[in-house]
Amino acid sequence: MALALNQQNHGFKPPSGRSRHCRLSSLDQDFQLNKNSETSSSRISLKSPQFPKSLSTPCLLNCLKKSKSCGTIPNVKSNPSLNTCLELPKKVSAYIKPMESSKTVGINEMVAEIAVTITLGPDPIRGKGDYSNLFYLINCDNKKFAIIKPADSQAAAREAAAYLLDHEGFASVPPTTVIKISHPVLHKTSAVTASVQRFVPNISDSSEMGPSMFVTEKVHRIGILDIRLYNIDRHTGNMLVKRRLNTTNPMKSFDLVPIDHELCLPEKLDVPYFEWLHWPCALINFSTFKVNYIDSLDPFKDAEMLRSELPQITEASIRIMVLCTIFLKKSVSAGLCLADIGKMMTPVNDIPSALEVLCRRAAGMVFTEKSSDQAFTILDWEDCDLEMDKRDAAKLSKCVSFPNRGFGSVSRKMVTFKMLSEKEWMRFLEKFEELLPLAFEARNSVSLEKNPLARSCKF
């Protein structure tokens, strides 16, 4: 769906200053589909519509004079395949082109509302201080309803990926998509890539409250999302706080909404940051509902979706998502809680995380075909006697971290999978899953000693 907006009227008559009432209609009722023989795509044009009168809405003229957005928006929900070219009167020109997406819930309506607002409404407002890279859109009620964040294509795509991967709104990621936008307030000569997200009214971010005020269910849901996305930037500032309605427990009266996902889905196993890692509720076992949700996740289906809908995301990032989703599913099946999983993914000082070491073991087994018993011991590469040819060693040095063992310039680096062939990648996943049971058994033993609450209580 593309929306282009400029100054031409195309059948719209500007409201007369002598009339108290304005003629309004739902724009999609007046669109007539016009097939262009020179292109396979359908476009929408306005052809002398007959507008029905609306005697109850005399506000459009005043809104236009005050530069407030008002009136109706295209009913794109009833026509999701809309490829719309709207041209409406305004002093400035603007252009929006959203990405095509199979997850249209909340997206089409938001984009249409943005299109009308930047054409008829006030200019986007730049944020202040730490938010100076954002632009807020204001509706006719003078309330924020969307946030535009200009960014490079990969960062914007990661923001949208978090929404696409948040199946059924499980973690409440606000509707987010990628757009190309041109507007004078951006001070750019051409259209720029940006992510656009539905604004979430909130009372603060989570830094202003203690974790005991948050509902365990919401913390778990955000944690599950962060693990799948290998979030390296989940801090208190990007978890918004909303007041819960109809709550019976005043001590658990706030919900959390996750935002800012441009640092998710990295190309390598960088150091993740999970703010919730040491919160007490992260020690509580997952509910049956959450276990069933995790069990339903299909990382390979999600990978295909990302390749299809967000080609800006690299294959290396997609493989990180697949790896972490498999790790999450197997961890939960083994009975680990959120804190256990997060700690296995997080390095301590210069000590690699358990996840990183498991990846090294699995990669070593792919190239050396070590047996599971020999390769499992959670030690660094300097404790293993690896034998491989120089070509495989060079490839592995770009895929995993291990010290120099006589392979020239091979050096320790973060784990990444971008150099593996598809066959090697699938073989790696097989070996990775073979190593997990013993690792989980060891982790469970430590967790139950330190956290008897996780074993003795059900929530």
Side-chain angles (χ1 to χ4, degrees):
M1 181 176 72
L3 295 125
L5 303 103
N6 59 34
Q7 303 175 34
Q8 302 178 30
N9 293 338
H10 280 266
F12 280 106
K13 295 181 180 180
S16 170
R18 293 174 295 177
S19 173
R20 291 185 62 248
H21 303 296
C22 300
R23 295 177 175 182
L24 302 178
S25 75
S26 177
L27 296 183
D28 62 314
Q29 294 174 359
D30 301 302
F31 288 149
Q32 295 186 26
L33 194 60
N34 182 19
K35 295 286 186 178
N36 189 332
S37 59
E38 298 180 359
T39 177
S40 60
S41 63
S42 300
R43 299 186 69 80
I44 300 296
S45 62
L46 290 169
K47 298 178 64 178
S48 302
Q50 300 297 319
F51 290 99
K53 291 183 179 180
S54 173
L55 300 180
S56 62
T57 314
C59 64
L60 182 57
L61 179 60
N62 293 332
C63 286
L64 289 173
K65 288 181 178 179
K66 296 178 182 178
S67 294
K68 300 286 186 181
S69 68
C70 209
T72 58
I73 64 175
N75 185 9
V76 291
K77 185 175 182 180
S78 64
N79 191 358
S81 63
L82 215 57
N83 188 11
T84 312
C85 192
L86 297 178
E87 295 182 301
L88 303 172
K90 196 184 177 183
K91 295 180 181 179
V92 299
S93 297
Y95 168 81
I96 296 179
K97 182 180 179 182
M99 72 172 190
E100 299 291 340
S101 175
S102 61
K103 187 175 181 179
T104 59
V105 177
I107 294 294
N108 288 344
E109 293 87 346
M110 177 178 66
V111 171
E113 191 174 355
I114 291 170
V116 171
T117 298
I118 65 174
T119 305
L120 298 176
D123 290 336
I125 299 175
R126 182 184 289 273
K128 298 179 180 179
D130 294 338
Y131 305 100
S132 59
N133 63 323
L134 306 178
F135 292 87
Y136 298 96
L137 290 178
I138 311 298
N139 61 19
C140 62
D141 295 323
N142 202 31
K143 294 181 179 180
K144 299 174 183 176
F145 75 90
I147 300 174
I148 296 174
K149 185 189 296 185
D152 64 75
S153 58
Q154 285 198 33
R158 290 186 183 109
E159 292 269 16
Y163 176 66
L164 291 178
L165 292 171
D166 185 27
H167 302 303
E168 303 174 7
F170 184 75
S172 301
V173 177
T176 311
T177 190
V178 178
I179 62 172
K180 285 279 190 179
I181 182 169
S182 174
H183 194 285
V185 76
L186 300 177
H187 303 296
K188 300 290 184 181
T189 57
S190 60
V192 299
T193 300
S195 64
V196 59
Q197 186 173 80
R198 175 69 70 178
F199 178 77
V200 178
N202 60 88
I203 58 176
S204 70
D205 61 46
S206 61
S207 65
E208 299 185 21
M209 298 183 183
S212 62
M213 300 297 291
F214 306 134
V215 180
T216 298
E217 179 79 9
K218 295 298 294 186
V219 175
H220 282 189
R221 291 182 180 219
I222 292 175
I224 290 168
L225 178 72
D226 288 341
I227 289 169
R228 294 182 63 210
L229 302 179
Y230 199 81
N231 195 345
I232 65 174
D233 190 42
R234 175 61 71 210
H235 55 79
T236 56
N238 55 35
M239 289 184 284
L240 302 180
V241 179
K242 292 180 62 178
R243 189 175 297 278
R244 286 173 62 87
L245 301 177
N246 302 322
T247 179
T248 57
N249 184 356
M251 293 302 295
K252 296 284 187 179
S253 55
F254 300 99
D255 272 338
L256 293 173
V257 178
I259 60 171
D260 292 345
H261 296 100
E262 61 183 18
L263 294 180
C264 292
L265 297 175
E267 293 186 337
K268 51 193 174 184
L269 291 183
D270 207 331
V271 179
Y273 183 77
F274 305 134
E275 182 66 39
W276 42 258
L277 186 59
H278 300 290
W279 289 3
C281 54
L283 295 170
I284 298 175
N285 288 336
F286 290 120
S287 66
T288 301
F289 174 79
K290 291 191 284 288
V291 170
N292 291 338
Y293 174 85
I294 293 169
D295 185 61
S296 71
L297 297 174
D298 186 339
F300 299 102
K301 183 178 179 180
D302 287 340
E304 287 303 316
M305 176 188 65
L306 293 181
R307 294 186 188 105
S308 172
E309 301 193 12
L310 293 170
Q312 306 94 323
I313 295 181
T314 65
E315 188 64 24
S317 295
I318 292 175
R319 286 179 172 182
I320 292 290
M321 183 277 297
V322 171
L323 175 81
C324 292
T325 303
I326 291 173
F327 184 67
L328 170 67
K329 290 168 69 74
K330 297 295 185 180
S331 300
V332 172
S333 296
L336 271 65
C337 66
L338 182 61
D340 289 332
I341 302 170
K343 288 176 181 177
M344 290 188 72
M345 298 175 69
T346 306
V348 179
N349 299 324
D350 294 329
I351 303 174
S353 68
L355 177 62
E356 183 180 350
V357 174
L358 285 167
C359 288
R360 296 176 185 178
R361 293 281 139 262
M365 292 166 66
V366 169
F367 290 107
T368 65
E369 292 301 321
K370 288 278 188 177
S371 70
S372 179
D373 290 339
Q374 290 174 299
F376 172 73
T377 306
I378 304 299
L379 300 171
D380 212 341
W381 283 103
E382 62 189 8
D383 297 299
C384 296
D385 184 18
L386 297 180
E387 295 180 2
M388 61 185 82
D389 61 38
K390 290 185 178 180
R391 184 179 62 179
D392 283 346
K395 182 180 292 187
L396 189 58
S397 71
K398 297 178 181 179
C399 300
V400 300
S401 306
F402 66 101
N404 192 337
R405 292 289 294 172
F407 301 123
S409 59
V410 173
S411 60
R412 183 166 188 159
K413 299 179 181 180
M414 291 187 215
V415 174
T416 182
F417 307 104
K418 62 183 178 182
M419 297 298 294
L420 293 180
S421 68
E422 185 64 22
K423 182 177 179 180
E424 290 167 340
W425 166 242
M426 296 308 296
R427 183 66 174 158
F428 164 82
L429 291 178
E430 290 177 10
K431 296 299 182 182
F432 178 75
E433 292 192 44
E434 287 179 13
L435 296 174
L436 291 177
L438 288 176
F440 293 151
E441 183 179 342
R443 182 69 208 181
N444 264 326
S445 298
V446 173
S447 298
L448 292 177
E449 289 178 6
K450 294 184 177 181
N451 180 32
L453 179 68
R455 176 177 56 183
S456 60
C457 298
K458 293 184 179 180
F459 295 83

